[in-house]
Amino acid sequence: MNMEIELKAHITDHEALGLLLSKRAEYLGDFIKDDTYWFPIDNSSGIEKIRMRRQKHSSPGGNEKSECFIGFKKKEVRDNIEVNEETEFEAGPPEAVEEFLREMGYERGISKHKRGSVYKEGEIIAEVLEVEGLGWFIELEILLPKEEASGDLISEKKCCLLNFLLSLGIEEKAIESRFYTEILAGLAK
């Protein structure tokens, strides 16, 4: 299990940002992520929702890989930056996973479609991405093993992410503290 320290911010020029990142960070490829959130019919499990992700990744060399992941997060926002405890694992065929979730008492809920490019500079993973219906964002993330994630280290990594964001010319006021699912659910009402 990992602790995920992440911030996301609205961006206006994804092409210019991608060019800037390609000059200072390693380009890891492009991706498409289709997430479907499954909610328990009765919440006896204590897990609020489960995310099923279908993901396609294209490497810089042109190789493509398709995967299916199941995950859930214990989410928290601290000073506009997410600090999440994430559990995620690769799963079998999506159809079998969906049937399993139904049998376990979950029902399909909100979906999210993301596409973009991913870069890495040091310990920071940067994704320039479009969330369908919401626009373009940059996501910056540092992963820490849960056992190493002390409060001081989390604070240090939050500062690293914020400094990296500012170094890209993106102002702190562009940070979006709401979860994508929260925004999408608000749009659906």
Side-chain angles (χ1 to χ4, degrees):
M1 257 189 287
N2 286 321
M3 292 297 289
E4 170 187 77
I5 298 92
E6 175 184 308
L7 72 76
K8 61 182 169 294
H10 297 269
I11 58 173
T12 54
D13 189 344
H14 67 279
E15 292 174 348
L17 183 57
L19 185 59
L20 175 61
L21 281 167
S22 68
K23 291 179 182 176
R24 65 180 278 189
E26 178 186 3
Y27 169 67
L28 299 179
D30 296 325
F31 63 84
I32 296 172
K33 297 176 183 178
D34 287 308
D35 296 345
T36 302
Y37 292 86
W38 291 75
F39 296 87
I41 294 170
D42 73 19
N43 200 9
S44 59
S45 70
I47 297 173
E48 179 186 328
K49 64 185 172 208
I50 294 176
R51 180 189 70 205
M52 183 179 117
R53 169 171 285 168
R54 294 177 189 211
Q55 176 174 298
K56 290 182 183 176
H57 182 266
S58 302
S59 70
N63 295 329
E64 288 193 5
K65 185 175 183 180
S66 294
E67 301 165 296
C68 179
F69 292 96
I70 296 297
F72 62 91
K73 296 181 183 183
K74 294 178 183 172
K75 294 184 167 197
E76 184 180 345
V77 176
R78 301 180 195 169
D79 301 319
N80 292 328
I81 296 177
E82 291 182 36
V83 179
N84 303 317
E85 185 178 325
E86 180 177 36
T87 301
E88 182 178 68
F89 56 91
E90 191 166 354
E95 298 76 19
V97 172
E98 289 177 347
E99 182 61 27
F100 173 78
L101 289 169
R102 278 189 209 87
E103 290 296 320
M104 293 301 296
Y106 283 78
E107 61 186 356
R108 178 190 293 264
I110 196 164
S111 293
K112 169 181 70 185
H113 177 79
K114 300 189 319 186
R115 68 176 181 93
S117 301
V118 62
Y119 305 85
K120 183 169 184 178
E121 183 176 284
E123 64 187 336
I124 297 174
I125 307 252
E127 292 182 350
V128 177
L129 58 105
E130 181 183 29
V131 179
E132 191 173 277
L134 300 182
W136 285 90
F137 294 85
I138 184 166
E139 289 183 11
L140 302 176
E141 174 182 273
I142 296 174
L143 294 176
L144 297 173
K146 183 180 176 185
E147 61 276 2
E148 295 176 18
S150 68
D152 288 341
L153 187 57
I154 289 172
S155 293
E156 177 188 319
K157 300 307 179 184
K158 285 169 46 179
C159 286
C160 288
L161 293 177
L162 184 56
N163 289 334
F164 189 80
L165 182 76
L166 297 173
S167 77
L168 295 172
I170 301 169
E171 296 180 12
E172 192 171 346
K173 68 181 181 182
I175 294 175
E176 176 58 68
S177 62
R178 297 172 294 171
F179 303 117
Y180 294 129
T181 53
E182 181 183 347
I183 302 168
L184 289 166
L187 294 175
K189 291 181 181 178

